[in-house]
């Protein structure tokens, strides 16, 4: 090549597809996936991804089409992260905890043409299976390790595979900024938004996971984090890149987690602090004779939890991000100088959100004029980000995309401070989002569900402390004159209108809600009462 060659000649578009192509050669006979009695080598993993990609093409899936998956953490979901983009299509991984209407909205909004659904979860889809706007075909996956006798409808997964062939496809793309997946937010302001990831961002974020969680060919990764959540923080691609072993987990249970740790020598897992609590408090919990890395996000792990996990042989890697940033964007980068600190002080430093990952740009905390706040650990501002690991935009929503990127930076809606060492610490969540078990829950959505009960005049919802989930929703309801309703009645009503996990754990009937002179409900007052004496940042600001 000559020095005057164009840039395109010198470069190859980045895509995580290349990871499986490489590992299928380098680690061909190594164990790639474990699930119950099933085992896949890397050669078999790549072969199935190729067959599914060819089967989708044979089913009429065109480049750029959306293919939706409603599956728990089973092998077919891992395969989808390579097979769907290998077919040139876009993967839409749907939250398995959503209600029928929420699933319908995502399928229609994304204009998915094919839906692959777990047989047990098919009951969520059944009521609308014949009413979906764009889905031409539903494929059912029967998991031998599934509880019960879930039986779906339509085409079986084996039938889909039979349509495919073993004809090789290139583990490459022409455009690294083409959309690889769409991940729907939990709908913090009404309908969920479809967050578009591109191949380049997924590729680079995967390297961030490898570096900061310390993955290698010796990694045995347990799937405690849902793959539908930010594509499992890009870990399907990261662990595959280094030839590690994926241990699938259909349901997060303490006894199952400890059994799999013992059987497979698990070295890594990811999850919200509630997963950490589940592991730590399980009757089967025992101190480990090796170090198991837990990468956690969703809410800062408490210093107490960090210390307890260290004593059991776990190492906490604390990360921070959003759906719009491919999952983790910042990491609490450990400093060797902290080794000399007492345990409580070290754990306090580790509970901060930290700095940008090696693959990311710097995290900024800014005031309303987009100027950086002082590094004083006290002045609050909004956390903003940009770069390779920030979404392309919201699917079919130019207005909200423009709003999110005002000033040229992605606005997280999270409030934080910057310490003198440059580490960011989250202080509050804007818009009163409740983070329960790592899931974002819109208080507005829950309030609307409560008010839809004919006895309720108005309602407010805030997050309240919970030992297991970190925080849960509590509703405050004002009843219409002359009407009556019991708290449990309102909770049960909410569960019929939105996903059950979003329903408030508690409801208090009150005579009135605290309001400003302009009639705005002062949720801060409600929240402060619930968190009083708990030392939680939720009551600040």
């Amino acid at each position: 090549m000559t020095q005057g060659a164009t840039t395109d000649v010198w470069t190859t578009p980045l895509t995580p597809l290349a990871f499986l192509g490489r590992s299928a050669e380098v680690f061909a006979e190594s164990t790639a996936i474990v699930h119950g009695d099933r085992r896949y080598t890397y050669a078999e993993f790549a072969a199935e991804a190729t067959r599914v990609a060819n089967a989708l093409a044979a089913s009429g899936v065109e480049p750029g089409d959306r293919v939706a998956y409603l599956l728990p953490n089973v092998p077919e979901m891992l395969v989808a992260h390579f097979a769907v983009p290998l077919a040139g299509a876009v993967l839409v991984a749907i939250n398995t905890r959503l209600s029928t209407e929420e699933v319908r909205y995502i399928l229609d909004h994304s204009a998915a043409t094919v839906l692959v659904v777990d047989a047990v979860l098919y009951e969520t889809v059944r009521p609308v299976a014949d009413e979906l706007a764009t889905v031409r075909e539903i494929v059912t996956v029967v998991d031998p390790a599934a509880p019960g006798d879930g039986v779906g409808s339509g085409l079986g997964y084996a039938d889909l595979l039979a349509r495919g062939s073993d004809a090789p496809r290139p583990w490459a793309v022409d455009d690294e900024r083409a959309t690889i997946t769409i991940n729907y937010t939990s709908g913090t302001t009404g309908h969920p938004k479809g967050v578009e990831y591109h191949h380049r961002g997924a590729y680079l974020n995967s390297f961030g996971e490898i570096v900061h969680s310390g993955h290698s060919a010796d990694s045995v990764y347990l799937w405690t984090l849902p793959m539908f959540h930010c594509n499992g923080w890009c870990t399907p691609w990261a662990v595959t890149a280094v030839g590690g072993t994926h241990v699938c987990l259909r349901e997060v249970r303490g006894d199952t987690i400890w059994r799999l740790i013992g059987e497979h020598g698990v070295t890594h897992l990811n999850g919200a602090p509630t997963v950490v609590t589940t592991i730590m408090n399980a009757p089967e919990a025992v101190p480990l004779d090796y170090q198991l890395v837990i990468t956690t996000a969703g809410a800062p792990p408490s210093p107490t939890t960090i210390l307890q996990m260290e004593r059991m042989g776990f190492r906490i890697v604390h990360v921070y991000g959003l759906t719009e940033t491919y999952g983790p964007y910042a990491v609490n980068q450990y400093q060797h100088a902290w080794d000399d600190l007492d345990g409580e002080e070290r754990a306090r430093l580790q509970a901060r959100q930290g700095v940008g990952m090696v693959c990311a740009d710097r995290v900024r905390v800014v005031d309303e004029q987009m100027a950086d706040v002082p590094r004083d650990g006290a002045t609050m501002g909004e956390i903003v980000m940009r770069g390779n690991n920030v979404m392309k935009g919201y699917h079919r929503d130019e207005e909200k995309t423009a709003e999110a990127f005002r000033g040229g930076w992605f606005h997280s809606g999270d409030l934080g401070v910057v310490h003198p060492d440059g580490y960011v610490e989250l202080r509050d969540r804007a818009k009163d989002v409740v983070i329960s078990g790592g899931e974002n829950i819109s208080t507005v959505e829950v309030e609307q569900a409560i008010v839809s009960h004919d006895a309720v005049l108005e309602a407010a919802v805030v997050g309240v402390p919970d030992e297991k989930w970190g925080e849960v929703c509590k509703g405050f309801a004002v009843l219409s004159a002359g009407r009556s309703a019991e708290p449990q009645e309102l909770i049960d009503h909410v569960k019929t209108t939105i996903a059950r996990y979003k329903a408030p754990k508690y409801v208090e009937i009150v005579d009135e809600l605290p309001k400003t002179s302009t009639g705005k409900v002062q949720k801060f007052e409600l929240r402060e009462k619930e968190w009083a004496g708990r030392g939680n940042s939720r009551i600040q600001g």
Side-chain angles (χ1 to χ4, degrees):
M1 296 183 184
T2 65
Q3 191 172 4
T6 65
T7 301
D8 288 342
V9 174
W10 292 96
T11 62
T12 299
L14 304 180
T15 173
L17 290 175
F19 298 151
L20 183 53
R22 178 181 186 275
S23 290
E25 294 184 0
V26 178
F27 305 107
E29 300 307 315
S30 297
T31 301
I33 306 173
V34 174
H35 184 52
D37 295 331
R38 290 197 277 170
R39 300 288 187 277
Y40 294 72
T41 64
Y42 267 100
E44 292 167 337
F45 185 3
E48 180 155 326
T50 299
R51 179 166 283 274
V52 171
N54 287 328
L56 290 172
S59 301
V61 172
E62 299 285 343
D65 282 357
R66 273 72 66 196
V67 177
Y69 271 64
L70 183 64
L71 294 181
N73 288 353
V74 294
E76 290 79 7
M77 192 66 191
L78 269 171
V79 169
H81 278 79
F82 293 90
V84 174
L86 189 62
V90 177
L91 174 63
V92 180
I94 302 177
N95 188 332
T96 58
R97 301 169 68 185
L98 295 182
S99 67
T100 296
E101 287 304 317
E102 289 167 321
V103 171
R104 187 222 294 258
Y105 174 82
I106 290 172
L107 291 170
D108 290 350
H109 185 266
S110 67
T113 58
V114 174
L115 169 64
V116 180
V117 60
D118 180 75
V120 175
L121 296 174
Y122 183 77
E123 290 308 311
T124 301
V125 179
R126 187 187 299 276
V128 296
D130 297 326
E131 305 169 8
L132 299 170
T134 58
V135 173
R136 300 191 303 262
E137 196 161 47
I138 297 178
V139 180
T140 304
V141 175
V142 177
D143 177 14
D149 300 314
V151 178
S153 178
L155 190 74
Y157 190 73
D159 299 320
L160 176 68
L161 288 175
R163 290 180 180 175
S165 72
D166 296 325
R169 284 174 169 260
W171 302 97
V173 294
D174 293 327
D175 180 7
E176 63 181 24
R177 295 193 179 275
T179 303
I180 184 171
T181 62
I182 300 175
N183 291 285
Y184 277 80
T185 67
S186 54
T188 56
T189 52
H191 285 307
K193 299 185 287 290
V195 177
E196 295 188 350
Y197 292 178
H198 50 59
H199 286 256
R200 178 183 178 85
Y203 180 95
L204 293 171
N205 190 274
S206 297
F207 278 109
E209 307 302 328
I210 292 167
V211 170
H212 295 294
S213 291
H215 285 296
S216 72
D218 296 323
S219 291
V220 180
Y221 179 78
L222 179 61
W223 271 104
T224 49
L225 178 73
M227 289 187 220
F228 65 69
H229 182 50
C230 309
N231 298 119
W233 300 351
C234 296
T235 313
W237 300 307
V239 172
T240 299
V242 295
T245 300
H246 299 269
V247 180
C248 290
L249 180 65
R250 187 179 178 90
E251 182 182 6
V252 175
R253 292 167 43 112
D255 56 346
T256 305
I257 290 172
W258 280 102
R259 176 177 59 81
L260 294 173
I261 288 174
E263 287 181 7
H264 303 292
V266 172
T267 62
H268 294 75
L269 59 87
N270 294 356
T274 52
V275 172
V276 176
T277 302
T278 296
I279 295 169
M280 192 167 53
N281 294 334
E284 298 80 7
V286 294
L288 298 172
D289 57 5
Y290 68 96
Q291 190 176 76
L292 193 159
V293 177
I294 296 183
T295 303
T296 187
S302 71
T304 300
T305 298
I306 291 174
L307 285 174
Q308 290 175 330
M309 297 304 285
E310 283 184 354
R311 295 188 188 108
M312 293 182 67
F314 296 93
R315 179 170 72 86
I316 295 291
V317 176
H318 179 202
V319 295
Y320 161 78
L322 303 93
T323 302
E324 288 89 342
T325 62
Y326 294 72
Y329 184 97
V331 60
N332 185 283
Q333 188 72 54
Y334 190 83
Q335 302 286 339
H336 288 303
W338 298 352
D339 292 341
D340 299 327
L341 302 175
D342 65 71
E344 291 187 3
E345 175 63 13
R346 184 178 67 253
R348 185 186 67 79
L349 293 175
Q350 287 181 270
R352 299 179 301 172
Q353 280 63 41
V355 295
M357 290 167 55
V358 68
C359 58
D361 287 16
R362 180 173 68 91
V363 182
R364 295 179 65 206
V365 179
V366 301
D367 60 21
E368 293 182 357
Q369 287 71 46
M370 290 296 291
D372 290 278
V373 301
R375 292 188 175 191
D376 57 9
T379 305
M380 285 205 299
E382 185 180 13
I383 298 172
V384 297
M385 293 158 280
R386 71 179 182 187
N388 292 302
N389 292 116
V390 175
M391 66 172 180
K392 291 177 63 175
Y394 294 120
H395 184 61
R396 295 172 56 190
D397 200 333
E398 293 183 4
E399 182 178 343
K400 282 192 169 58
T401 298
E403 179 185 348
F405 283 101
R406 61 191 182 277
W409 291 74
F410 170 69
H411 289 252
S412 69
D414 292 339
L415 305 179
V417 300
V418 184
H419 289 275
D421 60 2
Y423 279 50
V424 170
E425 181 182 0
L426 190 68
R427 286 292 174 88
D428 202 358
R429 293 276 181 172
K431 301 179 182 177
D432 301 311
V433 173
V434 174
I435 309 171
S436 184
E439 295 282 348
N440 288 356
I441 300 176
S442 165
T443 56
V444 172
E445 182 181 22
V446 182
E447 287 161 2
Q448 292 174 345
I450 296 174
V451 172
S452 70
H453 190 286
D454 58 9
V456 177
L457 176 64
E458 57 181 346
V461 172
V462 300
V464 300
D466 184 85
E467 290 186 3
K468 179 178 181 181
W469 301 109
E471 63 177 337
V472 294
C473 290
K474 177 175 180 177
F476 296 84
V478 178
L479 302 183
S480 300
R483 300 301 302 272
S484 63
E486 295 298 321
Q488 190 59 50
E489 177 184 350
L490 299 181
I491 294 171
D492 292 341
H493 170 73
V494 171
K495 290 179 179 178
T496 67
T497 60
I498 58 177
R500 295 174 66 87
Y501 78 90
K502 298 180 181 179
K505 188 174 182 179
Y506 315 100
V507 168
E508 182 177 341
I509 307 298
V510 296
D511 293 331
E512 60 181 3
L513 298 172
K515 298 178 181 177
T516 66
S517 58
T518 59
K520 182 179 179 180
V521 176
Q522 293 181 301
K523 291 187 181 182
F524 171 78
E525 289 190 17
L526 298 172
R527 191 162 52 234
E528 184 174 36
K529 182 182 68 172
E530 300 296 330
W531 289 93
R534 300 296 290 262
N536 192 287
S537 62
R538 293 287 283 178
I539 69 172
Q540 298 181 16

